Amino acid sequence: MLKTFKSFLVYIWPANRNDIKFRIILAIFILIIAKVLTVLVPYTYKWATDGIVGNNSMPSLISVAVITPIFLIISFGIGRVLMMAFNQLRDALFAKVGQNAVRQIGKESFEHLHNLSLRFHLERRTGALNRLVDRGMKGIENIIRFAILNTIPTIIEFIFIGFIFFREFSWLYVLVISITVIFYVIFTVILSDLRTAHRKKMNASDEEANNTVIDSLINYETVKQFNNERMEARNFDRSMSEYEKATIKIWTSLAWLNFGQTAIFTIGATTCMVMSGAAVMTGKQTVGDFVLVNALLMQLSIPLNFIGFIYREIRQGITDLDSLMTVMNIKPEIVDKKNAKNLRIQEGKLSFKNVSFSYDHKRKILDNINFTINPGETAAIVGPTGAGKSTISRLLFRFYDVEKGNIFIDDQDIREFTQTSLRHNIGIIPQDTVLFNQTILYNIKYGRWTASNEDVFLASEQAQLKDFIKSLPNGYNTIVGERGLKLSGGEKQRIAIARTLLKGPPILVLDEATSSLDTLTEKEIKESLDGLSEKRTTLIIAHRLSTIVDADKILVIDKGKIIEIGDHQTLMEKNGLYTDMWLAQQAIAKAQETLKNVKPEYKKLINNNIELK
C-alpha cells in the first residue's frame, strides 16, 4: 500500500508543474481558513443565545454596544455562507489537481498497454483490462476527493473541536468525544471491511457480465448464425445473479452500518449534552455554552456520517489503483537497446538465420529456420495449418523476439533498430483486416497521418476502391462499423491495401491476405497486391497455392522446419509435400466446380454428408 501511495504522490505533486503545486498550497491555506471558520461560527450562536436570555458572554475584546443578539444571529448565517464558500473554493482549486492526475495516469497507462507485448494482450481479456484501467483512473480521483478533500479536513476539524472543548469546558468532554470517535471509526472500519469483501465479489461478477456482453456483441453474427441468443442470455444472467447476491449483501450491511454509527455517536453526543445540561443547572455553564456544545457536536457529526463511505471509497480507490499499478509495473517484453538506431533500408534484403522460437517453451514453433529474400524478390511461405507460418511475420515485426538465431534486414540484426523505425519500414496485409469504427478516410489515412487527401485518393484508386467509394452516399466519410463489419471481406482488404500503399514500406508481408475471399474477389485483390508488391521485398504467407505460383521462391514449412525450397516448377518436380498440397487443392477446386452443376436437391444431400447410392 505504501508503494501505491508513493506512486500516487507522483501524480498529485508533478515535478514539472509549478501551477499545480501553487494550487495545492493555496488550497491547503484556504482549507485551514475554512476549518477555523467552521469551529468559530458556533460561537456566534452561543453569544446570541446568551444575549437573548440577558447574559453577555462575549469576550471583552469584541464585546461592544452595536453587537446585539440579532447581529450575532446574522453573523452566524454569514459565517456559514463563508465557511461553505471557502470549502467550495478549495474544491474548485483542487479540481485541476485531481483531473490532471487522472489524465496523466490515464495517458501513461494507455501508452504502457501499447508497449506491452502481444503475449500479454493474448493472455488478457480486453474487457477486463479496460475496466481495470477505468477503475484505476477513478481510484486516483476518489483518493484525491475523499482522502485529501474529506479525511484530512475532518482530522483538522476534530483537533480544533477537541482544543475548544478542552479550553472552554474540561478534559472530560474531550475524553468522551475521543472515545466516541474511536469506537465510531473502529466499528465503521470493521463493517466496511466486510462490505469490501462483498464488493470484490460484486466487481468480479460485474467484470464477468461486462466481458460476456462485449464478447457476445462483437461476435453478434456468430451468435445469430448458431441461434445461441438464449445461451448468451443465460451466461449473462448467471453473472448478473452473482452480482445481485453480492449487491444485496452490500445494501444489507450498509443498513447495519448506518444504524451502528448513529447509535454510537448518539450515545457520545447525549453524554456530552447531559454533562453540559447538568453544568447549566448548577450555574457552571450558560445556556449559550449548552448551545455551543450541541452546535460543535452537530458540526462534527456531518463528516463522521460519511466516514464509512469515505473509508470504503479510499480503500477501494487504493485497491483499484494498486491493481492498475501492478499492470503498470509489468516490464515490456520487447524493448529497444540503449543505443538502438533508426532503420534506413538501402536495399531491402531480408534474412532469417538459424531462427528458433516457441510461445510457451513446451512446443517449438520454429526450429532452426534459414532463408533469404533478396531485394525486390517475392518469396512465399506455405505449409499445413499450425506449421509456424504466421509466427514468422510476428517475429519480423518484433512482436516477439527470437529465442535463438537472428533476423537481418540489409545484413543488420533487427534488434539493433528501434521498434518504431522497424515497423515503419514494413507493411502488412493480414488475413483478417480489422478496421477502426471510423470513416473510410480515417482507416486509409491510418497508414500515414501526414498524407494529403490527394495521396489518399491515389492510394484508393490503386487499390481499386475508387468506384466502390463513389457508390457510397457519404463517400470517404462512411463509417465502417465495429471492426469494419459493415463492409465485405473484399472491401476491407482493399482498404487494407490502400492503407499500406499510403504507408509505402520497402518490405511487404501478405499474411494469407486472400484466403477468406471468393475466387472473383481474390482475382481482383491479387491484381492490387501485384501492384503493391512491385519493386518491394515481399513475403507472402499463403494458404491457396494458386496465388503464389509466380513467386521467385517458395518455402515449404512443416512442424517448424523448412523442408522444401524453390520456385513452383522446381517444387512440383520434387514430388514432395508441396506437390501433395497442390494436387489436393486442385482436386478440391475441381470438385467445387463440378458441384456447381449438381441439382439443388442433391447439393443439399452432399452438404449434409449423406452418401448417395
Side-chain angles (χ1 to χ4, degrees):
M1 186 168 295
L2 182 61
K3 188 176 180 180
T4 302
F5 187 70
K6 287 181 179 179
S7 302
F8 161 77
L9 286 178
V10 173
Y11 299 100
I12 295 297
W13 191 265
N16 59 342
R17 292 294 301 273
N18 291 328
D19 59 322
I20 298 294
K21 294 177 182 178
F22 174 75
R23 279 176 174 268
I24 294 173
I25 294 171
L26 184 58
I28 292 172
F29 177 71
I30 291 173
L31 165 64
I32 294 172
I33 294 176
K35 289 307 163 186
V36 170
L37 279 171
T38 300
V39 297
L40 290 183
V41 164
Y43 271 100
T44 60
Y45 214 22
K46 161 187 160 59
W47 296 331
T49 303
D50 284 337
I52 290 172
V53 299
N55 180 14
N56 184 8
S57 60
M58 292 178 61
S60 56
L61 183 63
I62 59 175
S63 181
V64 294
V66 295
I67 300 181
T68 64
I70 299 300
F71 179 82
L72 289 169
I73 294 172
I74 295 172
S75 298
F76 175 81
I78 294 173
R80 296 278 298 178
V81 171
L82 287 175
M83 179 182 69
M84 180 60 68
F86 278 112
N87 282 331
Q88 295 305 313
L89 179 58
R90 174 205 66 192
D91 292 353
L93 284 170
F94 237 98
K96 187 174 180 64
V97 178
Q99 292 309 309
N100 178 72
V102 170
R103 175 187 172 190
Q104 291 305 316
I105 197 170
K107 179 175 178 289
E108 288 185 19
S109 61
F110 185 78
E111 290 176 343
H112 181 71
L113 289 175
H114 276 288
N115 287 331
L116 292 178
S117 67
L118 179 62
R119 192 193 309 272
F120 170 85
H121 287 281
L122 291 177
E123 293 173 354
R124 290 276 185 153
R125 300 184 74 173
T126 304
L129 194 61
N130 177 60
R131 294 300 278 260
L132 184 144
V133 174
D134 184 54
R135 286 195 179 123
M137 292 169 63
K138 289 180 179 177
I140 197 170
E141 186 175 11
N142 287 344
I143 293 171
I144 294 169
R145 181 185 301 170
F146 297 114
I148 296 178
L149 299 182
N150 290 90
T151 305
I152 294 176
T154 301
I155 293 171
I156 294 173
E157 186 174 339
F158 176 75
I159 292 171
F160 284 174
I161 289 175
F163 175 76
I164 289 174
F165 271 106
F166 181 77
R167 181 180 180 279
E168 296 290 337
F169 306 109
S170 74
W171 62 270
L172 287 175
Y173 288 87
V174 179
L175 179 63
V176 171
I177 294 172
S178 298
I179 292 173
T180 300
V181 171
I182 289 171
F183 272 100
Y184 190 99
V185 171
I186 291 174
F187 173 78
T188 300
V189 168
I190 291 173
L191 219 61
S192 294
D193 284 342
L194 291 175
R195 298 185 73 234
T196 299
H198 298 317
R199 187 181 180 90
K200 286 182 178 178
K201 291 180 181 179
M202 183 188 75
N203 286 344
S205 301
D206 179 45
E207 285 184 1
E208 184 64 31
N210 181 65
N211 282 326
T212 300
V213 170
I214 291 175
D215 286 345
S216 184
L217 292 180
I218 286 177
N219 296 290
Y220 170 84
E221 290 185 68
T222 305
V223 174
K224 286 292 185 182
Q225 288 162 355
F226 289 92
N227 292 322
N228 279 333
E229 295 92 338
R230 290 186 178 180
M231 186 191 75
E232 293 295 327
R234 284 196 300 269
N235 291 339
F236 177 73
D237 186 60
R238 192 182 302 116
S239 300
M240 290 304 296
S241 174
E242 295 301 318
Y243 180 86
E244 178 187 20
K245 293 175 185 177
T247 304
I248 290 172
K249 290 179 180 179
I250 286 175
W251 283 105
T252 304
S253 59
L254 178 62
W256 283 108
L257 176 63
N258 290 336
F259 172 77
Q261 287 176 330
T262 302
I264 291 171
F265 186 81
T266 301
I267 291 170
T270 302
T271 302
C272 288
M273 296 306 296
V274 168
M275 291 166 58
S276 180
V280 171
M281 294 175 66
T282 58
K284 293 180 180 179
Q285 292 182 14
T286 66
V287 177
D289 289 326
F290 181 81
V291 171
L292 178 62
V293 170
N294 181 72
L296 289 172
L297 288 173
M298 291 304 102
Q299 193 70 48
L300 183 61
S301 71
I302 295 172
L304 284 180
N305 281 337
F306 296 100
I307 195 169
F309 173 73
I310 291 170
Y311 171 76
R312 186 179 72 249
E313 291 300 318
I314 291 175
R315 183 184 176 114
Q316 187 62 42
I318 292 175
T319 301
D320 291 339
L321 185 60
D322 185 59
S323 298
L324 178 57
M325 286 301 164
T326 300
V327 174
M328 294 286 284
N329 290 329
I330 296 175
K331 301 296 182 183
E333 183 179 335
I334 310 300
V335 295
D336 292 337
K337 286 189 174 182
K338 187 175 180 180
N339 298 316
K341 53 190 176 181
N342 290 329
L343 171 62
R344 290 183 175 84
I345 292 182
Q346 303 296 327
E347 296 179 333
K349 179 182 177 183
L350 176 62
S351 303
F352 276 57
K353 300 291 185 183
N354 305 315
V355 171
S356 295
F357 177 77
S358 59
Y359 289 107
D360 57 9
H361 305 290
K362 295 179 182 178
R363 183 171 70 93
K364 188 166 286 189
I365 303 299
L366 297 178
D367 186 9
N368 200 37
I369 294 292
N370 287 275
F371 67 85
T372 297
I373 308 175
N374 293 317
E377 270 190 346
T378 295
I381 298 178
V382 301
T385 300
K389 302 187 296 296
S390 293
T391 299
I392 289 176
S393 69
R394 290 176 171 179
L395 292 175
L396 180 59
F397 271 92
R398 280 199 76 194
F399 291 151
Y400 301 93
D401 271 339
V402 298
E403 294 172 358
K404 293 181 181 178
N406 307 83
I407 300 175
F408 297 98
I409 292 179
D410 287 344
D411 297 321
Q412 297 180 82
D413 194 311
I414 61 173
R415 288 171 290 193
E416 300 296 325
F417 307 121
T418 63
Q419 296 174 68
T420 301
S421 65
L422 172 67
R423 292 164 189 160
H424 176 74
N425 283 282
I426 305 173
I428 184 168
I429 309 293
Q431 177 182 2
D432 181 21
T433 299
V434 178
L435 303 179
F436 293 94
N437 191 9
Q438 291 280 353
T439 64
I440 291 177
L441 179 64
Y442 178 96
N443 279 283
I444 296 176
K445 212 167 184 179
Y446 203 82
R448 179 162 55 92
W449 284 113
T450 57
S452 65
N453 286 343
E454 287 72 22
D455 292 334
V456 173
F457 301 153
L458 179 60
S460 302
E461 187 173 358
Q462 292 173 336
Q464 300 183 21
L465 265 174
K466 192 174 180 180
D467 292 338
F468 163 68
I469 294 174
K470 278 184 177 180
S471 69
L472 299 173
N474 295 320
Y476 281 93
N477 293 320
T478 300
I479 301 294
V480 302
E482 191 80 30
R483 298 170 63 88
L485 291 178
K486 289 184 178 181
L487 305 180
S488 69
E491 290 160 355
K492 289 196 294 184
Q493 289 296 68
R494 288 189 181 95
I495 289 176
I497 293 169
R499 183 165 60 189
T500 305
L501 278 165
L502 198 63
K503 183 178 181 180
I507 295 177
L508 181 63
V509 178
L510 306 179
D511 191 352
E512 303 199 41
T514 63
S515 64
S516 60
L517 304 177
D518 60 80
T519 306
L520 181 60
T521 304
E522 178 188 0
K523 183 179 179 182
E524 294 174 349
I525 295 294
K526 190 175 184 303
E527 292 176 4
S528 300
L529 291 176
D530 290 341
L532 178 61
S533 60
E534 188 177 353
K535 297 181 181 179
R536 287 184 170 92
T537 302
T538 305
L539 176 63
I540 303 176
I541 297 169
H543 173 71
R544 292 182 182 175
L545 302 186
S546 59
T547 62
I548 49 93
V549 291
D550 296 328
D552 297 307
K553 64 179 66 171
I554 300 171
L555 315 172
V556 183
I557 186 170
D558 187 27
K559 297 179 181 179
K561 293 185 177 182
I562 294 177
I563 59 173
E564 297 176 28
I565 188 167
D567 59 22
H568 173 74
Q569 189 62 38
T570 302
L571 293 176
M572 289 298 293
E573 291 172 359
K574 287 185 177 181
N575 202 28
L577 178 60
Y578 180 84
T579 305
D580 293 340
M581 292 172 62
W582 174 267
L583 294 176
Q585 290 189 13
Q586 291 299 306
I588 292 172
K590 186 176 180 180
Q592 290 175 338
E593 187 66 28
T594 302
L595 191 60
K596 291 180 182 179
N597 301 319
V598 175
K599 293 182 178 180
E601 58 268 26
Y602 293 132
K603 276 187 183 180
K604 184 176 180 181
L605 292 174
I606 293 172
N607 289 334
N608 288 327
N609 296 317
I610 296 177
E611 184 178 357
L612 296 178
K613 293 185 179 179

